[in-house]
Amino acid sequence: MNLIVKNDYEEMSEYTAKILYDILITNEPLNIALTGGKTPIRAYEILAEMLKNKKIVNKKIYNFDEIEYKNSEIKFGATKNELRQIILDKIDLSQSSFIHLNTKNYEQWNDIVKSNGGLDIIFIGLGADGHFCGNLSGEVEFGSKIRLIKIPQN
């Protein structure tokens, strides 16, 4: 693992967008997990601009940190909707696919990922409380299987 330190958020976002761009424009079939949250927003904005008029081919894009809306008519959860607004609806994924995690398929999720060849690239952010990729602090141990975590209502 290499630790890369940048001077500020903008420089980090530009660097990250370039890495993701180089990955996404190849014709190589890849399975890529993208994250939501605040950390990657600027990188996604830059990436969307870089990918204008480019087709993304042979990619399977995964989302692992979905938060569904309870009793809602909204088709996707908070994370997928956020990703759609920031990046997915702004790029041409017509020759690729988005594999959507939800409460209906989470028990088969490990098998779904495995049947597609596993993951090649995982892009995650780090939350202010130390959580990453939907792994809630104090709820998930390293190496644990995917599971549904019920959030208490206030």
Side-chain angles (χ1 to χ4, degrees):
M1 176 172 80
N2 293 329
L3 177 63
I4 300 166
V5 178
K6 296 297 176 184
N7 292 317
D8 56 29
Y9 180 71
E10 185 68 18
E11 187 178 327
M12 177 200 66
S13 298
E14 290 170 1
Y15 185 85
T16 302
K18 175 69 170 111
I19 291 171
L20 290 171
Y21 175 84
D22 289 344
I23 291 164
L24 289 170
I25 61 165
T26 69
N27 288 330
E28 180 182 358
L30 292 171
N31 296 318
I32 304 166
L34 295 180
T35 192
K38 294 179 182 169
T39 306
I41 289 174
R42 182 65 182 133
Y44 287 151
E45 291 170 345
I46 295 166
L47 181 61
E49 189 64 32
M50 294 170 77
L51 289 170
K52 263 189 187 169
N53 304 315
K54 300 221 184 303
K55 284 190 186 296
I56 298 168
V57 299
N58 296 325
K59 305 298 182 280
K60 289 189 173 102
I61 311 292
Y62 296 80
N63 159 237
F64 283 83
D65 51 348
E66 187 56 283
I67 304 164
E68 291 186 346
Y69 295 107
K70 186 175 182 179
N71 303 324
S72 175
E73 297 299 316
I74 299 173
K75 184 176 179 180
F76 299 107
T79 307
K80 172 84 183 276
N81 278 321
E82 180 180 276
L83 285 171
R84 287 179 64 205
Q85 290 172 10
I86 298 168
I87 185 77
L88 298 177
D89 287 351
K90 297 177 181 179
I91 61 177
D92 185 352
L93 286 171
S94 62
Q95 296 179 3
S96 291
S97 59
F98 189 92
I99 315 295
H100 182 70
L101 169 68
N102 58 45
T103 56
K104 294 168 190 63
N105 70 4
Y106 79 94
E107 292 179 305
Q108 295 83 36
W109 194 248
N110 290 328
D111 292 333
I112 292 168
V113 172
K114 188 176 182 179
S115 71
N116 286 319
L119 293 172
D120 299 301
I121 296 154
I122 303 172
F123 175 53
I124 60 175
L126 182 63
D129 65 355
H131 81 275
F132 62 95
C133 200
N135 289 309
L136 302 174
S137 298
E139 291 290 333
V140 179
E141 293 181 25
F142 187 79
S144 62
K145 301 274 184 189
I146 193 166
R147 67 183 192 268
L148 182 67
I149 298 173
K150 301 222 183 230
I151 306 296
Q153 301 297 315
N154 292 335

